Amino acid sequence: MEQKRLAGEKSTEYIKDGMIIGLGTGSTVYYMIEKLGDMVSKGMKIKAVATSHSTERLAKTFDIQVVSIDEVDHIDLAIDGVDEIDSSFNAIKGGGGALFREKIVASLAKQVIWILDESKYVDAVGEFPLPVEILPFGYTHTLKRLNDHSLNPELRVVDGNTFITDNGNYIVDLHLGKHLNIREVIQKLNSVTGVLENGFFINMCDRIIVGSEDHVKVIDNPCKYGGNGAIGKYK
Ligand code: 5RP
């Protein structure tokens, strides 16, 4: 938890007065929002766009002004968690099921920062099951087609109930393993009607902040530091 706290709190140093901030989802983001709430209580003026209902509720408890994504014409900075990321900034997100909104917010943001504990900074992504948002209508057929592509799909069930996203859809977790070919998996996913979005976030962030036992490391994306040009490289 301390590693997440260190990363979350450090990320707030990039938040400046007047910014529109994209707030991610998850336990690491919690610490960023808690600290941001403190900054707001001391007079900082920002607006926030939330990537999930749970984040919206949390931000409001800290008196952070939350606006709808359609009320803003841009987002200055999005700060979010991540499930796995490698040194080429290939990432998997969506462990909390908010990947679709997280991807929309990240794609609109001028700058994207992800915060994580060091266990998530890996040599190759794929051990963490890839979350994929699918339409409930015809989901058994979608699952079958994903299975036909050898993508090892598992419908996400929480406490005995099918997990429902904030968009009213289902999540399928793909058990792919480390030796996956990202481009090939994305091509297969894009060929299946019923698949709405996948949890690959390829080269979408500008820097990561990695919390360790007693320090934080800031690693800038060598390919795109300062810009957002390479979004959707494999799409
Ligand atoms: C939610 C996400 C989260 O950012 C990701 O799962 C990391 O969560 P946590 O900080 O709780 O480990 O993608 O959809």
Side-chain angles (χ1 to χ4, degrees):
M1 279 306 131
E2 200 47 31
Q3 301 189 1
K4 293 186 177 196
R5 177 186 287 282
L6 284 174
E9 292 187 353
K10 175 77 181 170
S11 69
T12 60
E13 291 177 16
Y14 295 85
I15 301 176
K16 307 290 174 219
D17 212 46
M19 278 185 164
I20 301 172
I21 305 295
L23 301 177
T25 295
S27 55
T28 319
V29 161
Y30 173 88
Y31 296 112
M32 178 269 289
I33 292 177
E34 185 183 48
K35 177 82 180 171
L36 178 58
D38 185 47
M39 290 153 70
V40 165
S41 75
K42 290 177 177 147
M44 178 177 261
K45 300 249 177 305
I46 57 105
K47 284 182 188 165
V49 172
T51 54
S52 62
H53 295 327
S54 60
T55 288
E56 178 167 355
R57 281 193 297 272
L58 180 68
K60 284 180 175 167
T61 66
F62 289 109
D63 292 327
I64 294 169
Q65 186 188 356
V66 180
V67 294
S68 139
I69 192 163
D70 296 305
E71 286 175 61
V72 297
D73 60 2
H74 73 283
I75 293 169
D76 292 296
L77 167 63
I79 303 177
D80 203 346
V82 64
D83 294 302
E84 272 188 343
I85 184 162
D86 67 21
S87 59
S88 303
F89 281 60
N90 298 308
I92 288 181
K93 283 180 51 52
L99 65 114
F100 207 160
R101 294 184 185 209
E102 290 172 340
K103 201 177 263 191
I104 291 173
V105 167
S107 69
L108 290 173
K110 291 181 184 169
Q111 199 191 147
V112 177
I113 296 176
W114 288 337
I115 49 182
L116 54 143
D117 64 75
E118 61 184 350
S119 69
K120 296 173 171 179
Y121 191 47
V122 295
D123 58 340
V125 297
E127 214 139 88
F128 192 91
L130 178 75
V132 171
E133 185 152 343
I134 66 165
L135 199 72
F137 182 85
Y139 79 94
T140 54
H141 302 280
T142 304
L143 276 168
K144 187 173 176 314
R145 293 196 59 201
L146 293 172
N147 215 24
D148 291 345
H149 281 298
S150 306
L151 292 172
N152 297 325
E154 183 185 9
L155 187 67
R156 191 178 294 185
V157 173
V158 176
D159 296 332
N161 299 310
T162 304
F163 179 87
I164 311 268
T165 70
D166 286 351
N167 311 311
N169 300 314
Y170 294 166
I171 295 284
V172 171
D173 294 300
L174 305 184
H175 298 270
L176 301 169
K178 257 183 166 181
H179 302 292
L180 79 174
N181 177 328
I182 296 175
R183 182 187 295 271
E184 196 179 282
V185 173
I186 291 176
Q187 274 168 359
K188 285 178 178 178
L189 288 171
N190 288 347
S191 77
V192 177
T193 311
V195 167
L196 301 170
E197 190 51 85
N198 67 71
F200 279 130
F201 285 60
I202 305 304
N203 205 18
M204 284 186 81
C205 93
D206 297 273
R207 63 171 54 97
I208 55 174
I209 301 179
V210 188
S212 308
E213 272 313 306
D214 52 3
H215 68 285
V216 275
K217 203 167 168 182
V218 178
I219 305 172
D220 290 334
N221 183 343
C223 302
K224 63 186 289 281
Y225 176 65
N228 226 350
I231 282 173
K233 198 171 151 196
Y234 289 108
K235 272 211 133 182

